[in-house]
Amino acid sequence: MDYRLIHFNCARPTGEFTFDNEFVHVFLAILPRIFSDADTFEGIHWHRHGLRQPDGRWRDLGDAFPYATDLGVPDVCTMAGWASLEDMRSFVYNGRTHPSGMRRLQEQLDRSQGPGFVMWWAPREERFTMEDGWERLTHLRENGSSPYAFSLDQPIVRPQVA
């Protein structure tokens, strides 16, 4: 059995989720370039994106607006499947657009909920929903790193191919 790395991350912007918010403005401006880079990066198998509203309902990122401010600020979420931890790190930290774009947004993130990034190893044929990613992130926040849900600070070694 071959394994791939799954990552799920959430960014909750500070302030209201409107076009006037600097996070929203910058994020939406850089997203097409990041998606284009991801589509051509050999180490990524797939990626998907969505919004998790405070009431737990999911929205496709393409249908994010109009967003009613009375819903509360959503978590902007990404999930991706990677060939390896090294590939994920290369894209996130050394890629053409992701590192500079995300650095611009760091000061505009609400980190009060705890970690916003979780990973796990999964058999290549296994499929996941955004809600599965949210459950893994919640598990990491409540229990710390484990093979089920681990952090970048405490990565788990890829399981051996059976």
Side-chain angles (χ1 to χ4, degrees):
M1 179 180 309
D2 190 18
Y3 289 85
R4 66 179 166 198
L5 181 71
I6 309 298
H7 105 263
F8 178 81
N9 70 282
C10 291
R12 179 178 293 168
T14 55
E16 292 185 341
F17 195 70
T18 66
F19 289 121
D20 295 330
N21 182 317
E22 181 68 13
F23 174 93
V24 174
H25 177 75
V26 170
F27 183 76
L28 294 178
I30 63 175
L31 211 53
R33 289 176 292 183
I34 292 174
F35 285 179
S36 177
D37 285 351
D39 289 342
T40 60
F41 188 79
E42 285 191 35
I44 191 169
H45 296 171
W46 51 265
H47 58 99
R48 66 179 66 110
H49 314 275
L51 292 182
R52 186 176 191 279
Q53 297 175 174
D55 64 6
R57 288 185 294 162
W58 288 94
R59 293 172 78 153
D60 185 85
L61 193 56
D63 298 327
F65 295 97
Y67 187 86
T69 56
D70 64 337
L71 294 174
V73 179
D75 286 283
V76 181
C77 302
T78 298
M79 180 185 278
W82 301 89
S84 68
L85 180 58
E86 293 74 24
D87 284 327
M88 190 273 303
R89 283 183 170 152
S90 176
F91 183 83
V92 170
Y93 297 112
N94 303 316
R96 294 183 314 186
T97 55
H98 192 274
S100 60
M102 293 303 110
R103 269 194 302 276
R104 290 179 62 191
L105 300 174
Q106 290 304 309
E107 297 300 318
Q108 298 157 16
L109 295 177
D110 174 356
R111 300 190 188 277
S112 65
Q113 302 298 311
F117 189 97
V118 65
M119 298 178 291
W120 66 96
W121 292 103
R124 283 183 64 88
E125 68 278 356
E126 230 177 298
R127 301 292 180 253
F128 298 94
T129 65
M130 296 297 272
E131 188 61 28
D132 293 328
W134 182 262
E135 289 174 14
R136 300 265 182 158
L137 180 61
T138 300
H139 187 273
L140 176 67
R141 287 173 174 174
E142 293 173 356
N143 302 293
S145 281
S146 69
Y148 180 76
F150 56 89
S151 69
L152 200 51
D153 295 336
Q154 296 178 303
I156 301 294
V157 175
R158 176 196 303 263
Q160 295 298 313
V161 176

